[in-house]
């Protein structure tokens, strides 16, 4: 453990809150974690981690003495000056972000000139300004405010916290901004110190740009399917251009998760609310929705009617290394397949508990080989490592049909073909054109 650093409070113990808390504890701060969910706090006190996030359990355990879990906001206010806010901001029906949890936190703050809220939750541009207005109206002008957006990815959140590409701090140039900068100093990351609105926009624009990159490569993939090119080769060729870069050019069956879909629509909405029609983002959203459904057409092309067909889905989480199924492609896909009369059987190494809740009517198998048993077709939905290591001969002898659809272009097409199965990826042209490994 490192040297003692200033104590902080973290409000909200979801992915962002818990990783932020454990990360700052690792850097040497005592951290008071506050959540209104008493059950969750009890579990955390017992050392249980309510989410699956690689490395988080170890990080929490290693810094156990520096972490306090409580439902009482006063505990954090007593011990810390900086209060990081990491509560949920889910989308509303209109596509705007629901800020009710953020506003509850704001309302609960007492008048103070020695505390600051440090916003980690993803909020619309202008939220900081409106919170400062609320503070002023309530006679809490002394309360400082800092925007410090989070860029961690689920599945690699601990690594992302400890090795960030950049730290963005938006503030009014008072003590609180300096204190946040100081807190992050040991990470030695490039710092963007700016005004509050610009910091808020960096977060939304970054997520929207990455989502745009994915929808772009997915459209290129769809054109590749028409023209016989292989999108994997295309992405490799494009990605070597420094200005483009290789990351987030992985074509597939659409992006999901708690961030991209929500933030793209929140930015579109935010622009619309201020009178600007953000055309590009409309396309990004629409392409993504259609991309999730294209698998159904591919299955129909090979199998004809899907009525009574047994379709095995490998993976359900929105990406590997997480149990999170929010906005996962598996949700749309299984609903579409069931609506077309297919029997859907699925397996995910971690997301089974979520799936039981979210996918009624889908048969959940205890393992990949159980899922593919008697299947007419297999669809890779989430590229977990264990699916890349499957023995395709075993899969072939378990299946009734022969079709494998690789929704993430993550499988070894040659091994699949060698096992006597047929292979279709996303944007990979005809099987004959697949580049030799
Ligand atoms: C995303 C951002 O990457 C983080 O920087 C950000 O902090 C986070 O949202 C957030 O706002 O909290 P995350 O949602 O955890 O992180 O997941 P990503 O790894 O970005 O993947 C999102 C989705 O895009 C997944 O469904 C993934 O399968 C898909 N994806 C990603 C592709 O289809 N192709 C790619 O090339 C990359």
């Amino acid at each position: 453990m490192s040297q003692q650093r200033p104590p902080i409070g973290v409000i909200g113990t979801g992915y962002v809150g818990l990783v932020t808390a454990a990360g700052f504890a690792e850097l040497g701060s005592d951290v008071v974690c506050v959540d209104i969910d008493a059950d969750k706090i009890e579990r955390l006190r017992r050392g249980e981690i309510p989410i699956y996030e690689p490395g988080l359990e170890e990080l929490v355990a290693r810094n156990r003495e520096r972490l306090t879990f409580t439902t009482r906001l006063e505990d954090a206010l007593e011990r810390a000056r900086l209060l990081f806010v990491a509560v949920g901001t889910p989308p509303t029906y209109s596509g705007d972000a629901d800020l009710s949890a953020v506003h509850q936190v704001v309302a609960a703050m007492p008048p103070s000139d020695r505390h600051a809220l440090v916003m980690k939750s993803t909020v619309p541009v202008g939220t900081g300004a409106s919170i400062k207005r609320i503070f002023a109206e309530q006679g809490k002008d002394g309360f400082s405010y800092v925007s410090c957006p989070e860029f961690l990815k689920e599945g690699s959140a601990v690594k992302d916290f400890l090795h960030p590409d950049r730290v963005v701090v938006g503030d009014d140039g008072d003590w609180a901004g300096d204190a946040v900068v100081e807190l992050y100093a040991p990470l030695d990351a490039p710092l963007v110190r700016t005004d509050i609105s610009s910091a808020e926009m960096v977060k939304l624009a970054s997520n929207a740009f990455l989502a745009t990159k994915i929808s772009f490569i997915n459209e290129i993939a769809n054109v590749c399917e028409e023209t016989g090119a292989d999108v994997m080769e295309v992405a490799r060729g494009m990605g070597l251009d420094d200005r483009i870069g290789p990351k987030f050019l992985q074509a597939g069956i659409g992006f999901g998760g708690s961030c991209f879909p929500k933030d793209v629509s929140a930015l579109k909405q935010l622009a619309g609310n201020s009178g600007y029609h953000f055309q590009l983002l409309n396309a990004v959203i629409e392409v993504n929705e259609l991309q999730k459904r294209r698998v159904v057409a591919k299955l129909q092309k090979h199998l004809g009617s899907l009525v009574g067909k047994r379709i095995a889905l490998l993976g359900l989480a929105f990406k590997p290394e997480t149990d999170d199924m929010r906005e996962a492609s598996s949700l749309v896909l299984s609903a579409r397949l069931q609506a077309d009369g297919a029997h859907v059987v699925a397996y995910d190494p971690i997301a089974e508990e979520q799936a039981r809740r979210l996918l009624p009517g889908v048969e959940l198998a205890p393992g990949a080989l159980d899922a593919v048993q008697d299947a007419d077709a297999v669809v890779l939905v989430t590229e977990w490592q264990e699916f890349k290591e499957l023995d395709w001969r075993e899969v072939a002898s378990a299946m009734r049909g022969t079709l494998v659809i690789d929704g993430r272009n993550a499988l070894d097409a040659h091994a699949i073909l060698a096992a006597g199965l047929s292979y279709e990826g996303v944007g990979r042209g005809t099987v004959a054109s697949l580049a030799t490994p």
Side-chain angles (χ1 to χ4, degrees):
M1 276 210 235
S2 41
Q3 71 188 90
Q4 188 64 36
R5 298 183 46 81
I8 61 163
V10 174
I11 304 169
T13 55
Y15 281 100
V16 171
L18 212 47
V19 173
T20 304
F24 279 125
E26 174 82 0
L27 297 183
S29 290
D30 283 333
V31 184
V32 182
C33 305
V34 187
D35 203 295
I36 50 171
D37 183 340
D39 280 351
K40 203 170 180 189
I41 289 296
E42 254 329 297
R43 288 178 67 187
L44 286 163
R45 280 184 183 149
R46 287 198 300 267
E48 282 174 38
I49 305 297
I51 50 171
Y52 176 80
E53 185 61 45
L56 183 57
E57 198 167 343
E58 294 83 337
L59 195 69
V60 169
R62 191 159 67 234
N63 294 286
R64 194 62 196 85
E65 286 181 4
R66 286 186 174 153
L67 291 162
T68 310
F69 298 103
T70 175
T71 52
R72 285 169 30 95
L73 187 61
E74 302 77 29
D75 295 344
L77 285 160
E78 265 164 34
R79 308 235 319 252
R81 297 188 71 189
L82 296 178
L83 303 165
F84 285 76
V85 182
V87 296
T89 52
T92 59
Y93 286 115
S94 63
D96 297 285
D98 175 356
L99 295 182
S100 50
V102 168
H103 283 134
Q104 272 174 32
V105 172
V106 171
M109 292 299 145
S112 164
D113 54 9
R114 54 178 297 276
H115 288 100
L117 281 189
V118 186
M119 191 56 67
K120 278 271 156 212
S121 302
T122 303
V123 293
V125 182
T127 302
S130 85
I131 289 176
K132 284 173 52 185
R133 253 194 324 272
I134 296 172
F135 276 152
E137 281 162 19
Q138 297 176 346
K140 304 177 193 166
D141 314 60
F143 226 102
S144 288
Y145 185 89
V146 180
S147 165
C148 182
E150 186 51 67
F151 302 100
L152 55 81
K153 300 182 287 299
E154 288 182 22
S156 59
V158 169
K159 183 176 135 278
D160 292 344
F161 179 89
L162 295 170
H163 306 282
D165 287 348
R166 76 298 208 187
V167 170
V168 176
V169 176
D171 67 300
D172 291 331
D174 63 5
W175 68 269
D178 293 343
V180 174
V181 168
E182 180 50 31
L183 213 52
Y184 276 101
L187 296 179
D188 213 15
L191 171 71
V192 179
R193 180 106 184 240
T194 183
D195 60 278
I196 293 171
S197 294
S198 301
E200 291 168 342
M201 185 58 106
V202 171
K203 168 69 189 185
L204 287 179
S206 298
N207 272 3
F209 184 80
L210 291 169
T212 304
K213 217 173 164 188
I214 299 170
S215 275
F216 178 85
I217 200 67
N218 282 338
E219 290 224 275
I220 293 291
N222 300 342
V223 179
C224 284
E225 286 180 5
E226 300 301 321
T227 54
D230 181 347
V231 74
M232 303 273 283
E233 297 298 297
V234 177
R236 192 155 66 94
M238 287 170 65
L240 286 169
D241 185 327
D242 257 0
R243 294 166 303 174
I244 298 173
K247 295 182 181 162
F248 282 70
L249 282 183
Q250 180 70 39
I253 53 173
F255 60 77
S258 63
C259 305
F260 284 173
K262 169 187 79 131
D263 292 351
V264 174
S265 106
L267 181 53
K268 183 193 118 172
Q269 231 19 73
L270 177 78
N273 294 346
S274 32
Y276 183 73
H277 180 50
F278 204 143
Q279 301 202 50
L280 190 56
L281 293 186
N282 277 330
V284 170
I285 294 165
E286 195 180 328
V287 168
N288 196 49
E289 282 313 307
L290 293 174
Q291 201 67 14
K292 295 177 184 175
R293 291 165 165 78
R294 280 177 70 88
V295 178
V296 179
K298 284 184 179 171
L299 287 165
Q300 284 162 339
K301 181 179 81 185
H302 291 275
L303 303 178
S305 163
L306 298 182
V307 176
K309 297 281 167 23
R310 192 174 167 89
I311 312 293
L313 304 186
L314 296 183
L316 294 167
F318 85 97
K319 67 174 190 178
E321 299 300 333
T322 176
D323 62 350
D324 197 339
M325 283 183 59
R326 282 176 286 179
E327 303 282 337
S329 298
S330 60
L331 298 172
V332 172
L333 185 55
S334 53
R336 284 292 312 116
L337 292 172
Q338 286 176 310
D340 281 3
H343 178 82
V344 182
V345 49
Y347 164 70
D348 187 285
I350 301 286
E352 192 180 335
E353 199 182 314
Q354 316 283 341
R356 220 169 278 294
R357 207 164 34 84
L358 295 169
L359 295 177
V362 168
E363 179 186 333
L364 294 175
L369 285 175
D370 305 282
V372 303
Q373 189 67 43
D374 296 327
D376 293 289
V378 169
V379 182
L380 179 85
V381 179
T382 316
E383 65 276 32
W384 286 95
Q385 187 60 29
E386 71 168 85
F387 301 141
K388 298 182 192 174
E389 291 164 4
L390 276 172
D391 179 337
W392 291 100
R393 282 176 218 287
E394 277 187 72
V395 174
S397 52
M399 284 176 71
R400 180 161 63 203
T402 58
L403 177 61
V404 176
I405 294 191
D406 180 359
R408 298 289 173 189
N409 290 347
L411 303 176
D412 180 347
H414 297 275
I416 292 171
L417 294 172
L421 295 166
S422 54
Y423 173 90
E424 176 146 356
V426 177
R428 306 207 63 190
T430 58
V431 168
S433 74
L434 287 177
T436 33

